[in-house]
Amino acid sequence: MHALILVDIQHDFLPGGALAVPDGDAVIPVANAAMEAAKRRGHLVVATQDQHPADHGSFASQHPGRRVGEVIELDGLSQILWPDHCIEGTRGAALADTLRRDLIGRVFPKGGDRTVDSYSGFFDNGKRHSTGLAEYLREHGVTGVTILGLATDYCMKFTALDAIDEGFEVSLLLGGCRGVELRAGDVESAVGEMRVAGVRILADPERRVASC
Ligand code: VGL
Ligand code: ZN
């Protein structure tokens, strides 16, 4: 069995959102087409959803004197500070309106523990708790996954690397992902890291890696 995993296609990561990923809305038509193809082939479709309490420890607003982009230590782990985003119950946390949400079989929320961030769709950054995604995939006999979504250099990357660690065959649909690119080159090195880890990169010929 094969599964398509849509990573964090939520309003706050789209242009105009609290943590907007440049050109992030370009992934939506790719995601919709990939879901339709997956359904035709009888594949599973699942999504991850970044969902934080309003006082989440990854928010710069929770650390007086600190600014977005600074790195702190949060409960023993190195943590980049982000703007407030994907607060549970807000529109920013909702999956994009134009996404064919009717085709998604199950949504896995992550980031609910204020003491630890959760980039991967499988585990929090400290690998303390599972979201249940790996167990769900195994229960359904999934051996291979295709991943797309936001953001290439954070949640996409950690989801893909954990999927490899969990023993799945992993493909990344490059045309269906975009990155934050806090520093120039972050997306390209994330793609390189995934490739080295064994992720098959399905390059859309119309898009260069650097623009993904
Ligand atoms: C993400 C930063 C903070 C992501 C989520 O979805 O890539 N990045 N929270
Ligand atoms: Zn987040």
Side-chain angles (χ1 to χ4, degrees):
M1 177 62 100
H2 198 85
L4 175 67
I5 305 177
L6 309 183
V7 177
D8 296 5
I9 307 182
Q10 300 167 250
H11 289 123
D12 269 346
F13 297 125
L14 301 179
L19 209 176
V21 175
D23 201 27
D25 47 351
V27 309
I28 295 173
V30 182
N32 285 339
M35 280 194 279
E36 284 161 19
K39 286 286 170 181
R40 277 197 301 274
R41 296 175 188 138
H43 297 170
L44 284 189
V45 177
V46 299
T48 67
Q49 186 172 19
D50 206 44
Q51 206 169 75
H52 301 300
D55 62 351
H56 195 265
S58 72
F59 296 168
S61 63
Q62 298 303 303
H63 306 277
R66 299 285 189 172
R67 280 196 302 258
V68 168
E70 279 184 43
V71 177
I72 63 158
E73 196 182 294
L74 182 64
D75 208 26
L77 294 177
S78 169
Q79 174 67 52
I80 301 174
L81 294 177
W82 300 107
D84 292 12
H85 66 278
C86 298
I87 295 173
E88 48 204 3
T90 65
R91 173 177 160 79
L95 297 184
D97 288 337
T98 49
L99 196 61
R100 286 283 311 271
R101 289 180 283 190
D102 57 305
L103 298 180
I104 301 172
R106 173 117 173 228
V107 177
F108 291 85
K110 62 187 178 65
D113 179 348
R114 66 173 301 283
T115 66
V116 64
D117 213 349
S118 196
Y119 294 150
S120 158
F122 289 94
F123 302 98
D124 61 74
N125 293 1
K127 282 216 164 184
R128 294 169 195 157
H129 296 285
S130 164
T131 61
L133 175 56
E135 295 79 359
Y136 178 87
L137 295 176
R138 281 193 202 99
E139 275 162 25
H140 288 82
V142 170
T143 53
V145 298
T146 300
I147 307 184
L148 60 83
L150 305 169
T152 319
D153 35 0
Y154 291 95
C155 292
M156 278 280 327
K157 179 178 97 171
F158 287 93
T159 300
L161 295 179
D162 276 349
I164 291 278
D165 281 348
E166 289 299 303
F168 298 104
E169 253 180 56
V170 184
S171 300
L172 176 79
L173 201 57
L174 202 50
C177 52
R178 294 293 184 280
V180 178
E181 193 92 334
L182 271 186
R183 283 162 315 189
D186 279 357
V187 165
E188 211 167 336
S189 41
V191 170
E193 233 181 287
M194 289 188 268
R195 196 194 306 271
V196 165
V199 175
R200 193 166 146 231
I201 310 293
L202 305 174
D204 176 341
E206 311 200 349
R207 300 240 176 235
R208 305 232 345 261
V209 168
S211 68
C212 121

